[in-house]
């Protein structure tokens, strides 16, 4: 649910001219997946001071911002609630209160075209990531804008040979898509004689780990 009474910095689907990073205050982000379909789903996140808006602004995507973003001061009082004002030295009178909301957020900004030029490799990587996700069975019916949003939630990781992604009876908290290399999923042989191995090879669309 969008915060009431606040003007958004940008709205879902917009193509902002400038890239923003909050220095003070927070930014509340509200987005929609599968809009206007029976599968419509809302998501909400908070970007705190010092964190970037790469995902939320849809940087490196072709479908604009992934959400609507509202500036919000942390622990700011609701509109109409008095904010204490200290008495200035040498000024007669008593300390009072004001019902004016404080300055909501301070931002760093850079022109979007300059940012994209500086991070072109990451831009290209995101496009290929969205394409790869669209080839996986469970995402094959997603629209390109939804895939672009989903791709932002995935992060690229590299693991050394022999690294154990997950052990049996442990809960896997992330959905893993294989891009390069090889992953072996080993299941105990109920009849003894070692493990039964199932190998996911690189270069095969739909290779993922979620067992």
């Amino acid at each position: 649910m969008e915060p009431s009474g606040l003007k958004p910095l940008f709205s879902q689907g917009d193509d902002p001219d400038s890239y923003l990073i909050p220095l003070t205050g927070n930014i509340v982000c509200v987005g929609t997946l599968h809009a206007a379909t029976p599968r419509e789903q809302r998501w909400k996140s908070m970007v705190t001071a010092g964190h970037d808006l790469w995902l939320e602004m849809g940087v490196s995507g072709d479908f604009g911002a992934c959400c609507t973003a509202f500036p919000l001061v942390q622990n700011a009082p609701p509109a109409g609630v008095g904010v204490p004002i200290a008495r200035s030295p040498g000024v007669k009178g008593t300390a009072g209160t004001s019902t004016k909301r404080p300055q909501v957020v301070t931002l760093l900004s850079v022109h979007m075209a300059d940012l994209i030029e500086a991070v072109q490799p990451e831009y290209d990587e995101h496009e290929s990531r969205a394409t790869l996700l669209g080839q996986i069975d469970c995402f094959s019916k997603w629209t390109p804008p939804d895939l672009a949003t989903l791709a932002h939630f995935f992060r690229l990781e590299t693991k050394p040979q022999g690294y154990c992604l997950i052990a049996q009876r442990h809960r896997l908290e992330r959905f893993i898509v294989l891009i390069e290399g090889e992953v072996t999923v080993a299941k105990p042989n109920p009849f003894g004689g070692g493990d039964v191995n199932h190998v996911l090879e690189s270069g095969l669309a739909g290779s993922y780990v979620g067992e």
Side-chain angles (χ1 to χ4, degrees):
M1 185 175 182
E2 292 89 348
S4 60
L6 294 177
K7 182 179 179 180
L9 293 169
F10 53 85
S11 297
Q12 186 165 358
D14 285 354
D15 192 10
D17 292 332
S18 297
Y19 180 67
L20 308 172
I21 299 176
L23 293 181
T24 62
N26 301 321
I27 297 179
V28 179
C29 301
V30 181
T32 303
L33 290 171
H34 311 297
T37 73
R39 301 171 61 198
E40 181 171 304
Q41 182 178 355
R42 305 274 287 186
W43 61 275
K44 183 177 180 179
S45 66
M46 177 86 76
V47 178
T48 55
H51 293 80
D52 64 68
L53 283 157
W54 184 276
L55 183 161
E56 290 78 7
M57 298 189 77
V59 180
S60 77
D62 295 324
F63 305 99
C66 298
C67 65
T68 301
F70 300 88
L72 184 68
V73 160
Q74 186 175 10
N75 299 324
V81 175
V83 180
I85 299 177
R87 184 180 61 186
S88 300
V91 177
K92 293 183 179 181
T94 58
T97 60
S98 170
T99 57
K100 183 179 180 180
R101 289 183 68 88
Q103 185 72 30
V104 288
V105 68
T106 304
L107 299 165
L108 279 178
S109 69
V110 62
H111 197 278
M112 192 67 76
D114 295 332
L115 176 70
I116 295 300
E117 182 178 354
V119 295
Q120 189 66 44
E122 287 84 355
Y123 187 96
D124 296 338
E125 176 191 306
H126 175 268
E127 288 189 332
S128 62
R129 193 181 308 172
T131 300
L132 177 63
L133 291 173
Q135 295 172 341
I136 297 175
D137 293 344
C138 56
F139 304 128
S140 61
K141 295 183 179 180
W142 285 44
T143 64
D146 288 335
L147 286 171
T149 299
L150 179 67
H152 283 294
F153 289 99
F154 281 79
R155 62 171 184 253
L156 183 64
E157 297 183 4
T158 57
K159 302 297 181 184
Q161 183 174 351
Y163 181 89
C164 181
L165 292 173
I166 185 172
Q168 189 174 14
R169 297 188 179 88
H170 287 209
R171 185 180 298 277
L172 182 63
E173 296 182 349
R174 300 191 67 82
F175 181 80
I176 301 171
V177 179
L178 181 64
I179 298 177
E180 294 179 350
E182 184 177 274
V183 173
T184 299
V185 179
K187 298 180 180 179
N189 187 341
F191 304 104
D195 292 341
V196 177
N197 294 333
H198 171 54
V199 178
L200 301 175
E201 296 180 352
S202 62
L204 295 178
S207 296
Y208 54 88
V209 179
E211 282 81 352

